[in-house]
Amino acid sequence: MGHPIKRKEDARFIQGKGNYVDDIKLPGMLYMDIVRSPYAYAKIKNINAEEALKVPGVVAVVTGKDLEQYNLHWMPTLMSDTQMVLPTDTVMYQSQEVAAVIATSRYAARDGKEAVMVDYEPMQAVVDPYKALEPEAPVLRSDKEGRTNNHIWHWEAGNKEETEKVFAGADVVVSEHMHIPRIHVASIETCGCVADYDKVNNHLTMYMTTQAPHAIRTVIALVAGHVGLTEEKVRVISPDIGGGFGGKVPVYPGYVIAIAVSFLVGKPVKWIEDRSENLQADSFARDYHITAEMAGTKEGKILATRFKILADHGYTDAAANPSKFPTGLFSIGTGSYDYGASFMEADAVYTNKPPGGVAYRCSFRVTEAVHAIERITDRFATEIGKDPADLRMENFIKKEDFPWKSPTGWEYDSGDYHAGLQKAMDAIDYEGLRKEQVEKRERGELMGIGISTFTEIVGAGPSKDFDILGIKMFDSAEIRVHPTGKAIARFGTKSQGQGHETTYAQIVAEELGIPAEHIQIEEGDTDTAPYGLGTYASRSTPTAGAAAAIAARKLRDKARKIAAYLLEVSEEDLEWEPGKFFVKGAPEKAKTIQEIVFAAYTNHPQGMEAGFEATHYYDPPNLTFPSGAYICVVDIDSETYEIKVRRFVAIDDCGNIINPMIVQGQVHGGLTQGLAPAMYEELIYDEDGNILNGTLMDYLVPTAVESPNWETGHTITPSPHHPIGAKGVGESPTVGAPPAIANAIVDALSVYGITHMDIPITPYKIFKTLKEKGVIE
Ligand code: CDP
């Protein structure tokens, strides 16, 4: 009786050895498949499950009406909006979950799903976010009392009056409208879970693909506490999840339905999405329509920026942003430049598309912000006829001016933007390339050079400003050193392939002098790890990495006391070198960390607490502000418009580097994920809300074949407030690459008077644009 799997077996799933949710097989496990809507907006007239229930192996079909009896048919989103688990009367986007089929095998569940008959009454979908705001647009969220339109929220940052004054008096004002299109995280593994409710002990073990296990446990308790699943009765285990990139932060309906079914039938229930479901129905990223403007002098001094955004959130605001930041950290969009006036505003709107707004490898909305500022900076350079590298060099915030207060209220911690761009220019031979470009242009060849010099903002966050659903953002580390000097360290974050097992061990090793190979790292199990907000937005190093260093320092303080006792000297007489304390001036009188730890269990001073363990919950005093200087060179075939990224140099500055190989790996992968939206990826909907590229046959995820040879390097400007001077890095390349590529392509096409193109920029889009401009017939 009771729970079929005990801890020894569970531990298999948290060791980082390629154990995915889909590998989990539990006795009596049932499988779930989901019936999805073919319409983007429709009334559900009837769901007939009779034939489905006749399919051998099918045990149940669950609808919204079934969940309604337990008040589980709606759930909160991370932005405190509401989202259907299963609909009771209306579907709001194509591929929305309509019913769940539970069966004894995956195949039976799929057959059962095909046999469920649903009668719909289709309605005209609202797809265009601008049209959604028109007074005659149907009110999509009629479930919300008193709603009269589709507007969700308005947001502002910066100084409106001051900015308008500067714009009004400026020599030069440039403006571009940009759409940063809807894209989708395409992790190696899709989302999935095994919900295992143990009726005897009233306990739920939830194995799931989540980047934030603790926050999810709290959300489960908030949503299902009223039926008995209170927080102590819930254990969330996030094994190897096959990549996350922000897409595995939200709670998807499939997870909740699996929990509800397991709770009702008392058996484990597995749900694994297929590729198309993942692409069509899970949270999207981006989808910002931005008007970006820059004002400056004709000599090239940037004076002010202005950004106006329309954010398409689909049918519910399920963005994974901190509560106080509905546009994420878009307000970093003032960029790396020294000027004092900026104003930004955003409006969010409901449409008949899937919900989301996930921070796809990005600190909430930083990718959108960086694209806007880096594109408009190039636009300004073109307008005044200045080289974009010179314009940047002349306007950068100077190294000695940090900490620097941005017009939208951030305090940039440190940076050396001149050094970064210079290094990138030297590495790529910028001057040589410009000369080559002149020659090529004379021969009618299309060659472009694009720069992006971005400032990032990572490490959410200081708890005074940052929370998710009211839970303050901080992160944690717990270190236990065993008597023989070997350690286990556990964290509130959750690696999805970023190598925390290596880098966290390095931090503890560096601080305590215990070899990294003797430090076991664990994350992702709410029963064992200290509470934390998880891994996304490059926050692990700035938060949990810092917690590891401070927890280790607490242990070092204890080690000093024990060493003083063992060596019979005062603490002040001791000096530390990694791995041992020795007496000043008498280095042969020393105690190694292993001897000290052993004494903590066998021979510690009277009155001192035994053991050698420490925990730290780190609340960062500020975010960290990594930066980068990227330069891209493209050649465009003047007949087919095929775009070739000939060279791409990426110089990143993430402060002190813990592990150069991991950082380089992060940058390489991130650059390809930046190439993706610049040249390939976009989710496309027709006017009825049908997704036109809902499979990986049509949605073009670039691979190694499309990736150029990334040339990487770094500068190091330590963060002054982080305990080891590190800043986050994981998302910098995804954020910095798209504008560098777009700027290069636009630069190549500037010979035709082109000043802007929306990403993804494809050969066909170039062809169409040139045709529209009358350049070609
Ligand atoms: O939160 P996430 O792990 O995705 O991002 P991150 O904090 O930027 O770290 C990504 C990986 O790079 C981790 O393994 C970090 O420890 C490593 N890293 C590093 O070695 N040095 C840095 N200065 C920053 C990150």
Side-chain angles (χ1 to χ4, degrees), residues 66-133:
D66 298 323
L67 296 183
E68 192 176 14
Q69 295 171 39
Y70 304 91
N71 198 24
L72 288 174
H73 55 314
W74 285 89
M75 62 180 181
T77 69
L78 293 175
M79 289 305 284
S80 299
D81 202 337
T82 50
Q83 177 171 2
M84 293 176 211
V85 178
L86 284 174
T88 50
D89 50 47
T90 310
V91 287
M92 300 296 286
Y93 63 92
Q94 192 184 49
S95 262
Q96 184 180 340
E97 300 80 1
V98 172
V101 179
I102 318 299
T104 50
S105 77
R106 187 170 281 181
Y107 303 100
R110 183 51 61 104
D111 288 346
K113 161 182 155 160
E114 304 301 333
V116 174
M117 306 299 290
V118 186
D119 285 340
Y120 297 94
E121 187 181 306
M123 297 184 281
Q124 181 53 53
V126 181
V127 181
D128 180 332
Y130 287 95
K131 288 201 175 133
L133 284 180

Side-chain angles (χ1 to χ4, degrees), residues 498 500 503 535 538-541 654 656 658-659 663 727 729-730:
Q498 296 94 322
H500 293 176
T503 49
T535 289
S538 298
R539 66 185 296 278
S540 304
T541 304
C654 59
N656 288 333
I658 302 158
N659 186 310
V663 166
K727 304 178 178 184
V729 75

Side-chain angles (χ1 to χ4, degrees), residues 12 73 105 213 258 285 294 410 463 501 526 543 760 772:
R12 191 164 73 77
H73 55 314
S105 77
M294 182 174 272
W410 299 111
S463 68
E501 296 84 351
T526 56
T543 59
E772 276 159 20

Side-chain angles (χ1 to χ4, degrees), residues 211 361 458 493-504 506-507 523 534-543 545 626 653-664 666 722 724-732:
Q211 298 174 229
R361 206 163 179 176
V458 301
T493 46
K494 168 66 199 149
S495 182
Q496 306 124 45
Q498 296 94 322
H500 293 176
E501 296 84 351
T502 305
T503 49
Y504 286 166
Q506 278 183 259
I507 296 172
E523 298 175 291
T535 289
Y536 38 86
S538 298
R539 66 185 296 278
S540 304
T541 304
T543 59
D653 193 328
C654 59
N656 288 333
I657 293 174
I658 302 158
N659 186 310
M661 192 165 81
I662 284 190
V663 166
Q664 196 188 31
Q666 290 284 301
H722 187 278
I724 59 169
K727 304 178 178 184
V729 75
E731 70 197 34
S732 287

Side-chain angles (χ1 to χ4, degrees), residues 78-79 153 288 313 317-329 357-359 363-365 467-469 473:
L78 293 175
M79 289 305 284
W153 44 253
Y288 264 26
H313 275 265
D317 184 5
N321 287 328
S323 304
K324 273 196 205 165
F325 298 88
T327 54
L329 305 183
V358 296
S363 202
F364 311 110
R365 294 292 190 167
D467 72 272
I468 294 225
L469 278 176
M473 293 189 83

Side-chain angles (χ1 to χ4, degrees), residues 318-431:
N321 287 328
S323 304
K324 273 196 205 165
F325 298 88
T327 54
L329 305 183
F330 187 91
S331 50
I332 193 70
T334 51
S336 312
Y337 314 111
D338 185 1
Y339 60 95
S342 184
F343 179 66
M344 313 174 168
E345 59 184 321
D347 290 279
V349 63
Y350 292 127
T351 59
N352 287 113
K353 294 188 202 132
V358 296
Y360 175 3
R361 206 163 179 176
C362 141
S363 202
F364 311 110
R365 294 292 190 167
V366 174
T367 314
E368 291 88 328
V370 164
H371 200 81
I373 181 71
E374 288 305 294
R375 271 272 53 240
I376 202 66
T377 301
D378 255 40
R379 176 74 187 80
F380 180 55
T382 313
E383 187 73 18
I384 59 169
K386 203 175 189 80
D387 184 286
D390 292 343
L391 181 83
R392 285 173 166 86
M393 284 290 195
E394 288 168 22
N395 283 280
F396 278 149
I397 301 155
K398 293 188 190 70
K399 186 180 166 188
E400 55 276 17
D401 290 342
F402 290 90
W404 187 79
K405 196 97 180 157
S406 89
T408 48
W410 299 111
E411 188 177 287
Y412 294 15
D413 59 350
S414 63
D416 187 351
Y417 303 144
H418 293 91
L421 180 55
Q422 194 57 55
K423 192 163 180 179
M425 288 169 72
D426 293 345
I428 209 159
D429 183 18
Y430 188 76
E431 275 185 27

